[in-house]
Amino acid sequence: HPLEVHNIANEIRSRGHEHSVQVLKLEAVEARGDVAESFQAKPGTQVFHSLMLHCENGLPVQLEDRYVNPAVAPDYLNVDFTETTAHQYLIEVAPLQEVEHILRAVMPKAQVRKLLKMPEDEPCLLLQRRTWSGGVVATTSRFYYPGSRYEFSGRFKP
């Protein structure tokens, strides 16, 4: 369900397919603009940033652009994300307390389109997520999915 938080590797494996990931960025940066605002932090506050491309049977299905609060995951930059996902690591060190999701269709920027191997005229799904753990914002993320290769589905009872 779009309101649930899933591990992309588990989703892919549940379909009997192979998950792989390319870690494109893993760095400490100064929070600016929207990132600082989403953490409710002063501009210039240090956060961790990762950019990862998740593939299903070798074909890109998700671009994960994530910022992490170092206070909740101080070892984030030392994790081998080819062995575990950011999701799995963060669930272990910063259990979810609250989640905010915004899901929309967008025309991706050129860099996103290139990484996801999408044609120019194809829209993508953008899931913006903010999580809280221990009473503070733990992560703020953008997940891009090719519109023709991914769907959100689920069933639940309120």
Side-chain angles (χ1 to χ4, degrees):
H1 187 270
L3 297 179
E4 294 177 345
V5 176
H6 294 277
N7 182 339
I8 187 72
N10 291 345
E11 280 185 44
I12 291 169
R13 290 182 190 122
S14 75
R15 292 190 285 270
H17 297 163
E18 181 183 330
H19 170 262
S20 59
V21 65
Q22 295 173 36
V23 179
L24 305 172
K25 288 185 184 178
L26 190 56
E27 61 192 353
V29 298
E30 291 183 355
R32 301 275 180 223
D34 290 348
V35 173
E37 187 178 311
S38 69
F39 278 104
Q40 302 163 338
K42 293 179 182 177
T45 300
Q46 186 182 69
V47 294
F48 298 147
H49 176 233
S50 58
L51 186 67
M52 300 184 211
L53 186 64
H54 296 271
C55 298
E56 182 168 355
N57 292 339
L59 189 61
V61 292
Q62 182 194 77
L63 180 63
E64 171 188 329
D65 189 5
R66 185 187 303 263
Y67 292 87
V68 176
N69 183 340
V72 300
D75 292 325
Y76 188 78
L77 297 181
N78 299 319
V79 176
D80 180 355
F81 290 115
T82 63
E83 294 295 320
T84 189
T85 62
H87 169 87
Q88 184 61 44
Y89 170 74
L90 290 165
I91 288 294
E92 291 172 9
V93 301
L96 288 175
Q97 180 181 33
E98 188 175 342
V99 178
E100 172 185 79
H101 276 168
I102 300 170
L103 179 62
R104 71 179 104 211
V106 299
M107 291 305 289
K109 293 183 179 180
Q111 178 195 10
V112 171
R113 191 171 49 250
K114 181 179 178 184
L115 289 168
L116 289 172
K117 298 183 180 176
M118 297 172 57
E120 270 189 50
D121 60 344
E122 182 179 355
C124 71
L125 297 171
L126 169 59
L127 175 63
Q128 293 174 251
R129 176 186 298 153
R130 189 163 50 155
T131 65
W132 285 260
S133 184
V136 299
V137 176
T139 66
T140 182
S141 310
R142 290 177 184 249
F143 301 93
Y144 298 89
Y145 304 87
S148 65
R149 281 182 256 141
Y150 198 85
E151 66 181 33
F152 287 92
S153 64
R155 182 176 175 174
F156 75 101
K157 287 185 178 184

